[in-house]
Amino acid sequence: MKMPTVNECQVDACAYNADHVCHALAITVGNSHHAECETFFKVDLKGGDPAATGRVGACKMSDCQHNVQYECQASGIVVGYVQKDIDCLTYAPA
């Protein structure tokens, strides 16, 4: 199974974001309330692998139409803001 790519990250403040590209090797999506990017954190220095594009390692949103056994089946996702939350914008309730 190929892990989906984070096609775009609109959250410039994230430590893994450089020019709207996620450089975390893998992110985790979801908590008990919404499709939050749980990998987000804010620090002054950028991190991750600058040669890599982030992928979805796990998705806890079992009610998403792209989720099969907690693995995202979307071809790619976009991460951005839903109000003040940093969420997977590709999330689609089943």
Side-chain angles (χ1 to χ4, degrees), residues 14 18 21 24-25 27 46 56 59 66 69 71 73-74 81-83 87 90:
C14 182
V21 177
L25 294 180
I27 69 168
K46 294 295 182 176
V56 181
C59 179
H66 303 293
Q69 298 177 331
E71 300 291 341
Q73 303 298 305
Y81 290 98
V82 175
Q83 298 175 359
D87 285 3
T90 308

Side-chain angles (χ1 to χ4, degrees), residues 25-75:
L25 294 180
I27 69 168
T28 298
V29 172
N31 65 28
S32 61
H33 304 303
H34 57 92
E36 175 182 62
C37 177
E38 290 195 337
T39 308
F40 166 81
F41 73 102
K42 185 177 177 179
V43 293
D44 292 334
L45 299 174
K46 294 295 182 176
D49 181 349
T53 300
R55 303 236 178 222
V56 181
C59 179
K60 300 178 192 177
M61 301 303 294
S62 62
D63 68 335
C64 180
Q65 65 181 310
H66 303 293
N67 189 315
V68 175
Q69 298 177 331
Y70 301 104
E71 300 291 341
C72 181
Q73 303 298 305
S75 59

